Amino acid sequence: MNHFLKLADITHPVVQGPFGGGISTPELTAAVSNGGGLGSFGLHHLSPAGMHATAEAIRRLTPGPFNLNLWVSPGDADASLDYAEMHRSVWLPMFAPLYEEQGVAAPSAPLAPEFSVEQQYEAILEIRPKVASFVFGVPPAAFLAHCRQLGILTVGTATTPAEALAIEAAGMDAVVASGCEAGGHRTAFLRPAEEHLIGTLPLIPMVADAVSIPVIAAGGIADQRGLRAVQALGAAAAQVGTAFLACEESGTTPAHRAALQRGFGEGTEVSRSMTGRLARFLRNALLTRLQGLPHLPFPLQSHYLAPLKQLARTSGDESWSPGHYSGQAAPLIRHTKAADLLASLVG
Ligand SMILES: Cc1cc2nc3c(=O)[nH]c(=O)nc-3n(C[C@H](O)[C@H](O)[C@H](O)COP(=O)(O)O)c2cc1C
C-alpha cells in the first residue's frame, strides 16, 4: 500500500488543497474526507479560538482524518512602523484614486495582528488533527517534535528540490511539491518566489529523486490524467486546489466559482499586485489596473484592497476582485460537487 495513504489513514491518493483567508469551509473538507481523500482547511488567518471552532465544525461533519494548514511566515510588513501615521501620509493616498474610481469607502488604518504563529502552533497541538501542513517555511524543531509525540503527521511545501531537502531534514513526514501552474500563492521560502517558478512536470521527479519522504504533487492537476501522470513521476498523491475551489462547497463567491467553471478567456498570471506576495490569478480588470504600480508588503496590500473584495461579494462582479485566484488547469474543470470530483479523479 502507498506509504502516504497508510500514514494519513486515507483510501485515495487525493489531498484537497487548503485555501487560506476564509475560502476553505468545513463542508468542503468533510466532503473530501468522507469520500476517502484528505480534506484540508487553510486557517492562517484565524485566531486560536477560530481554529478550535473550525476543527469542531469539521469534526461534526466527518469522523475521518483531515489536514489543517498554517503559514510559517505570516507577513512581510515592518512591525516597527507607525501604522496610523503611515496610513494617513503614505498608504491611503496610494489607494485613494482606486477607491474613488470604484466608489468604495476607504478602510481604516491596519492593525497589528492579534495573535502570533506560535499561538497558532499551540492550537494545532491542542486540536491534534491527523495531518498539519505548512507553507512559507519550516516550523520550529520543538513544535515538530511535539507533533511527532502526539501522532500529528506534518507536511511541508516545497517549490524546489532544495526546499524539499530542508523539509525532510527538519523531520517532516511528507512534502507537497508545488509546481508553478498552481492557483494561490507561490510559497517559496529559500529564495524570492519569482526565482521558484518550476513547473509540476520537472519538479515532481526532481523532488522524488532528492528526498525519501512521500511526495504530494500540486499544481495543474484537475482530472484523472493529471493524477496518473504525477503518480508516474514519483508522487504518492496529488493535492488538487483549483478544481475543488470551483465546487459548490468551497467558500468563494458564486461569480468566482462560475468563472472557474467557464474555464477562462483571459488566462492566468502570477502577480504581487493583489496581496503583496506572488500568487496566481485569473486575469481581471483589477490585475490590469494595478500592473506596473508599486504594491505594499503582505498583508498590507490585501488590507487596502479589501474594500474591492467586499464590493465583488455584494455586486456579484469579479472584475475588480483581488481574490480572483486560479491555477492553470481551470479549463479542465468538469464537476460542481466535491464528492463527484473526487470520484472522477480516482475513477
Ligand atoms: C484561493 C487559493 C488559496 C490557497 N491557499 C492556500 C493556503 O492557505 N495554504 C496552502 O498550503 N495552499 C494554499 N493554496 C494552494 C492549494 O492548496 C493547492 O496546493 C493548489 O491550488 C494546487 O494547485 P492547483 O490550483 O493547480 O490545483 C491555495 C490555492 C488557492 C487557489
Side-chain angles (χ1 to χ4, degrees):
M1 187 195 195
N2 178 325
H3 184 46
F4 177 71
L5 302 194
K6 202 170 158 200
L7 282 176
D9 195 17
I10 54 176
T11 314
H12 301 304
V14 175
V15 179
Q16 168 246 319
F19 306 126
I23 315 176
S24 287
T25 64
E27 288 73 19
L28 179 58
T29 311
V32 177
S33 289
N34 285 333
L38 185 66
S40 304
F41 197 107
L43 25 71
H44 74 87
H45 60 294
L46 290 180
S47 67
M51 291 169 65
H52 277 281
T54 298
E56 281 161 26
I58 296 169
R59 284 179 169 140
R60 276 196 291 275
L61 298 174
T62 180
F66 58 87
N67 166 37
L68 297 182
N69 175 268
L70 285 179
W71 291 16
V72 173
S73 134
D76 309 317
D78 179 353
S80 69
L81 290 175
D82 179 343
Y83 276 23
E85 174 50 29
M86 290 299 290
H87 177 70
R88 240 187 333 272
S89 60
V90 182
W91 297 337
L92 201 50
M94 257 177 84
F95 291 88
L98 194 56
Y99 301 147
E100 202 169 314
E101 269 170 46
Q102 296 306 312
V104 294
S108 45
L111 300 171
E114 284 164 18
F115 50 86
S116 65
V117 186
E118 288 71 28
Q119 289 170 316
Q120 292 182 314
Y121 291 150
E122 275 304 309
I124 290 286
L125 297 173
E126 289 158 7
I127 292 167
R128 292 199 200 189
K130 181 75 192 170
V131 182
S133 71
F134 301 89
V135 284
F136 291 118
V138 175
F143 166 70
L144 291 174
H146 213 147
C147 285
R148 257 191 308 281
Q149 279 163 14
L150 295 174
I152 302 169
L153 205 70
T154 55
V155 179
T157 306
T159 59
T160 59
E163 289 183 347
L165 283 167
I167 286 163
E168 182 177 53
M172 299 181 83
D173 298 293
V175 58
V176 173
S178 173
C180 72
E181 297 91 331
H185 285 96
R186 299 302 305 141
T187 58
F189 59 91
L190 290 182
R191 299 185 63 82
E194 284 80 356
E195 297 173 27
H196 280 202
L197 295 174
I198 306 176
T200 300
L201 191 65
L203 181 65
I204 304 311
M206 287 188 319
V207 170
D209 285 350
V211 299
S212 53
I213 52 177
V215 178
I216 302 161
I221 305 153
D223 62 21
Q224 197 176 109
R225 292 169 295 182
L227 173 60
R228 289 197 177 142
V230 295
Q231 285 175 318
L233 294 171
Q239 178 161 295
V240 177
T242 299
F244 280 113
L245 184 65
C247 289
E248 58 194 37
E249 295 91 343
S250 95
T252 194
T253 62
H256 186 194
R257 213 175 282 124
L260 295 171
Q261 289 285 351
R262 273 199 305 276
F264 44 87
E266 300 298 323
T268 67
E269 183 173 316
V270 286
S271 172
R272 286 187 184 263
S273 299
M274 299 292 213
T275 73
R277 283 184 174 176
L278 198 70
R280 186 174 292 284
F281 299 92
L282 280 179
R283 289 197 184 93
N284 66 3
L286 180 61
L287 202 58
T288 308
R289 169 72 172 72
L290 296 176
Q291 222 154 34
L293 296 181
H295 60 79
L296 297 179
F298 185 87
L300 294 173
Q301 184 77 1
S302 294
H303 175 82
Y304 283 98
L305 292 179
L308 297 181
K309 195 171 184 180
Q310 189 50 39
L311 178 68
R313 279 211 173 259
T314 49
S315 69
D317 180 357
E318 285 273 315
S319 313
W320 293 88
S321 167
H324 209 44
Y325 295 98
S326 176
Q328 290 182 335
L332 296 174
I333 291 170
R334 299 288 179 270
H335 297 280
T336 56
K337 286 192 179 356
D340 294 346
L341 169 58
L342 178 61
S344 79
L345 281 163
V346 296

